[in-house]
Structures are given as C-alpha cells and as structure tokens.
Amino acid sequence: MPLLLFDLDNTLLPRDAAFRAWAEDFLAENGLPAGDLDWLVMLDGSGYVPRSTVLGAAKRRYGLDRSVESMLGHYRHGINSHISCPDSHSSALRAAREAGWTLGIVSNGGTLPQLEKIRLTGLAALVDGWVISEEARCVKPDPLIFEIAARRCGFRPVGDWTAQTWMVGDYGPSDIAGAEATGLRSVWLHHGRPWAERGYRPTVSAPDLPEAVRVILGTAEHPTAGHPTAEHPTTARHFAARHFATGAAGRKRPPRTRLAIPASRLAPAPSPAPDGPKAPLAQPASFTGAVPLMPLEPAAPPVRPSAAQAQARPSVQGHWSDTSAAAG
C-alpha cells in the first residue's frame, strides 16, 4: 500500500486566503484603513515571516495600545476561524484512499495552531497520521520529519519505503527539497508561479491539489520506466515508482483519528532550526495543468590542479562553519 504525504498550509488548506480574511477583520475591528490590506498581506509573506515581526510592525504603524502577545492570540483564533478544507480537496483525499493509498500530513509550524487546523477542517478523519515540526523537534527539509510521518502512518522507514512514497507541497525549500533529500518523488503546487530553485526540482508540478492527486493516481495505474520530460508531457501522468505495491501487503491500517505518537518515542530529537523568511519568487507564469520539469544540466567536471599548484595552495581546513538554518 503506497504512502502519500501532504504539506498543510497552502497545500491541503488555503492558508493565505484565511490570513487575508483575518486581516480584513483586524483592520475593520480597529477602525484602520481598509486600503492597508495589501500591506499586511505583503508583510505576512505567506506565513514565512515570524508572527511577532508582522504583528509588531502593525502595532507600531497604527500606534495600537495592546501587547504583541494579545494580538497574537487574536490572530491565532481569527485565522483558524476562517480556514476550511475545500470540498475538492476532501474529494481528492477520498479518491486516493479508495485507490489504496495511505495518507499523511507533514507540517512545519506550532503544534497547537496546526493541530487545531487539522481538527477543525475535518482532515483528522481523512488521513492516517500527521507530524508537526514543533512537537517532532525537527523541521522540513530534514529527512527525519518525513521518516516520523511514515512511522505514524504505519510504515517502517526502511527498505524500499521511499519508492512507495510521494510528497505534495507548495514550498520548494521545505517540501520539495525535503522530498529530494529523503529520496521521495514529489509534486510541487505552482499556484501560477514558475519554479525558482536551481539546485533541485520536483518530479512534476501541478496547479492545485486535486490535479496533483490525479497525476499521482495516474502514475500508479500506468507505470513506466522513464521520467517525464518537457518533450513528452503526457508521460507525467504515467510516471510511477517501481514496486508501489510491494512490502505493504497485509499491513493493518491505523485508526484515522488517533493522536500523533510523541516524537520522543520514534527518533532522537535534533536541535530545532529557526524559521527563516521565504525567498521571493519570480514573476508568476500562467500554467493550466500538470507540468513536468526539465532535468538540470550536469555540472562540468572539476579541474584538477597541477602538483605545483597543489603544494602552493594554502590550507583552508576549519574555514567552514555550520551556520545555515532550515526555512520554516
């Protein structure tokens, strides 16, 4: 039984639309200019800018006599009251389940607000398990969080489990890079944007979640040995992992509504990585369907120095330091 993992915000749930609705309420309740809506949406950065930064900027801009902590409570309650799972997304999840797929959620974010979204929108009854970065103490793109998700969905992350697993998400640096680092196939929801990363690419892109699920289900029905290419776009619907059906026969499906297993029982806890801002993307392009992506050009072979150059080169050992941080 194959495994299908999903990002939560702006993949399963239209998070940006919910933020916009909350921002409209925030401006109206405080008697602030309705024309500032786009300013707040811009500052939000699709949720990748820390909430303290967004709300602190709003407090200073409008001279609000309230603490950022109280504004944060208002925000968390307000945005979740506006969020819902579209019927088309629920139908896509049911179609995947009926086709024999196990479903899971892999989300970066705070445990309580993300868990509240999963429960309020009915997703808890539609998936087999989930993992949230705060409680798991690791964040996408760390492969560990995908392994934890697999365990919670009833898979053992050993052997060929990656060949049976796809990841669907809208954010390259966490969802698609994480899938690539883990060895999973992936679908990127482009939402009208061009792909902006050069070091890696998704297996295929799609305009929305229902189309992504249709592509994945199609690959399981029509497997081929090759990867999709821009020259042969129809192969995107027929590209599949080998052995989708192997290694899972007879496995009992876990209860749909059970709570996630504590991360401490599954794997050692690495140090958390701080949230980072989402990198700006290029001007959106118009796509209408699933779009396979061209493979990257192979890198040129390195030039080896001569023996004399190697002796004259100064040592740089110890120059590098691990200062990078994963994006939220």
Side-chain angles (χ1 to χ4, degrees):
M1 186 177 296
L3 175 61
L4 182 50
L5 300 175
F6 297 92
D7 172 50
L8 184 62
D9 289 325
N10 290 325
T11 296
L12 286 171
L13 302 178
R15 183 264 170 205
D16 285 355
F19 178 86
R20 192 174 188 90
W22 168 82
E24 289 177 340
D25 290 348
F26 171 77
L27 294 172
E29 291 171 8
N30 290 278
L32 302 173
D36 279 4
L37 177 61
D38 288 341
W39 180 83
L40 278 171
V41 170
M42 174 191 67
L43 203 62
D44 171 61
S46 290
Y48 288 96
V49 177
R51 298 301 87 196
S52 58
T53 299
V54 176
L55 298 176
K59 172 181 168 66
R60 292 188 300 273
R61 180 180 178 92
Y62 303 117
L64 298 176
D65 186 19
R66 54 190 303 186
S67 67
V68 172
E69 288 74 18
S70 68
M71 294 173 65
L72 181 60
H74 179 275
Y75 161 79
R76 286 175 173 167
H77 173 76
I79 191 171
N80 281 358
S81 69
H82 286 292
I83 206 161
S84 62
C85 184
D87 291 340
S88 60
H89 292 194
S90 299
S91 297
L93 294 181
R94 293 190 184 98
R97 183 181 291 282
E98 291 171 2
W101 289 74
T102 298
L103 310 180
I105 298 173
V106 187
S107 175
N108 284 353
T111 304
L112 292 181
Q114 298 302 82
L115 186 58
E116 185 177 20
K117 291 174 188 175
I118 292 171
R119 289 172 170 167
L120 287 177
T121 59
L123 286 174
L126 296 175
V127 301
D128 298 288
W130 56 80
V131 59
I132 301 169
S133 62
E134 184 181 58
E135 52 90 9
R137 292 176 288 181
C138 61
V139 301
K140 296 179 290 186
D142 188 340
L144 177 59
I145 198 169
F146 297 94
E147 295 171 9
I148 293 173
R151 291 178 187 271
R152 294 183 181 179
C153 290
F155 277 70
R156 291 183 62 198
V158 296
D160 68 345
W161 80 277
T162 58
Q164 304 178 59
T165 305
W166 283 76
M167 174 65 192
V168 180
D170 73 300
Y171 187 36
S174 61
D175 302 320
I176 307 307
E180 178 77 9
T182 310
L184 314 180
R185 289 172 173 83
S186 61
V187 181
W188 176 58
L189 304 186
H190 59 68
H191 297 317
R193 304 164 297 171
W195 180 252
E197 306 295 332
R198 292 190 57 83
Y200 57 93
R201 289 179 179 243
T203 307
V204 68
S205 69
D208 52 41
L209 184 130
E211 179 64 14
V213 172
R214 282 192 290 271
V215 168
I216 294 171
L217 297 188
T219 64
E221 294 172 0
H222 306 283
T224 66
H227 289 254
T229 66
E231 289 80 7
H232 302 283
T234 56
T235 62
R237 292 183 178 275
H238 305 303
F239 175 65
R242 298 184 182 92
H243 315 302
F244 264 160
T246 62
R251 182 175 54 81
K252 185 178 295 184
R253 183 187 297 276
R256 297 183 187 177
T257 56
R258 67 183 176 86
L259 290 176
I261 302 170
S264 59
R265 293 176 55 189
L266 298 175
S271 300
D275 290 339
K278 185 174 182 177
L281 293 170
Q283 185 67 23
S286 297
F287 295 121
T288 58
V291 182
L293 294 167
M294 288 291 290
L296 294 175
E297 296 181 0
V303 178
R304 297 184 178 277
S306 66
Q309 290 174 324
Q311 292 178 357
R313 178 183 299 169
S315 173
V316 294
Q317 185 176 2
H319 174 73
W320 303 106
S321 61
D322 185 12
T323 58
S324 59

